[in-house]
Amino acid sequence: MKEFLRGISAHPPNSAKTIQSITIVVAVLAVLTSLLAAALPWQPTELVLERSKRQLRVIQNGRQIARYPVAVGRTSNPTPLGTHRVHRLEKDPVWSSPWRKRQVEASATGPLGTRWIGFWFRCGQRSSTDRRPPRFEAESCREIGFHGTGKTESIGQAATFGCVRLSNQDAVALFEMVKEGDIVRVVP
């Protein structure tokens, strides 16, 4: 390195040799930067849901990048506390009524809006928070997640059966920020 620096200082600033040397240094730094970035562990996005504040914060690389007002589960069906992981993302989700054999197509005014981000599920007696969680099967598991809604008046309330409602605009924005495996922390 010392020889290299001596070589640069031996040539006037506008010489072809100096420009070539600087180009090489920049290229080496670019390669080293990309190798370092590839070697760093993947940091998942963290979604922090504060139930009492009816607020969702999005954290990336230790910095809050977004905050959304939300509706959470009622006292009788609270949004489950704890640390979860995003396990399913779906555009234009179809809502299946758990009470009747009825389905509602995705729409901005529908029960799920146009985006679904699943983070908790229960299949029989086992849930996604178990040490060895069951495999998720939409037909036989109850699922909780983030979704849009046409019922914007519910935002800021404890109004759901456990899911987390956002405005459709916020649900679409959130959907673009997360991926499967990202962390969801639900705190009181």
Side-chain angles (χ1 to χ4, degrees):
M1 188 67 162
K2 284 181 184 178
E3 290 174 20
F4 176 76
L5 293 174
R6 261 189 255 129
I8 288 176
S9 62
H11 300 285
N14 292 332
S15 76
K17 195 90 164 154
T18 300
I19 292 171
Q20 182 183 15
S21 298
I22 290 172
T23 303
I24 291 170
V25 169
V26 169
V28 168
L29 288 174
V31 168
L32 290 175
T33 301
S34 63
L35 288 173
L36 181 61
L40 291 175
W42 167 68
Q43 280 199 309
T45 296
E46 185 177 3
L47 307 177
V48 180
L49 173 63
E50 296 174 87
R51 284 193 329 193
S52 63
K53 291 183 180 180
R54 316 287 198 270
Q55 172 180 274
L56 175 65
R57 295 183 301 122
V58 182
I59 312 294
Q60 284 183 343
N61 298 319
R63 290 184 34 241
Q64 180 176 303
I65 62 165
R67 182 174 52 194
Y68 302 108
V70 298
V72 296
R74 305 174 176 149
T75 307
S76 58
N77 293 88
T79 305
L81 294 170
T83 301
H84 313 280
R85 293 222 178 240
V86 172
H87 68 268
R88 189 164 77 94
L89 296 158
E90 186 175 346
K91 286 184 179 180
D92 299 321
V94 174
W95 180 71
S96 297
S97 169
W99 305 282
R100 294 180 234 136
K101 291 189 183 233
R102 181 182 93 140
Q103 291 191 327
V104 178
E105 294 297 318
S107 77
T109 59
L112 299 181
T114 61
R115 298 293 185 275
W116 173 264
I117 303 167
F119 67 84
W120 180 92
F121 63 89
R122 176 173 295 288
C123 304
Q125 297 300 311
R126 298 180 63 212
S127 82
S128 56
T129 57
D130 289 352
R131 185 180 185 103
R132 297 185 74 186
R135 195 171 125 228
F136 175 76
E137 294 178 11
E139 302 79 35
S140 60
C141 298
R142 177 175 183 252
E143 187 178 23
I144 289 177
F146 300 99
H147 62 82
T149 185
K151 295 182 177 182
T152 54
E153 67 278 1
S154 69
I155 304 294
Q157 308 296 315
T160 75
F161 287 95
C163 284
V164 182
R165 289 182 192 153
L166 298 95
S167 72
N168 283 308
Q169 180 181 345
D170 291 348
V172 169
L174 179 64
F175 191 90
E176 296 304 318
M177 289 185 237
V178 299
K179 58 190 162 301
E180 287 186 19
D182 283 346
I183 296 168
V184 177
R185 276 194 313 120
V186 181
V187 296

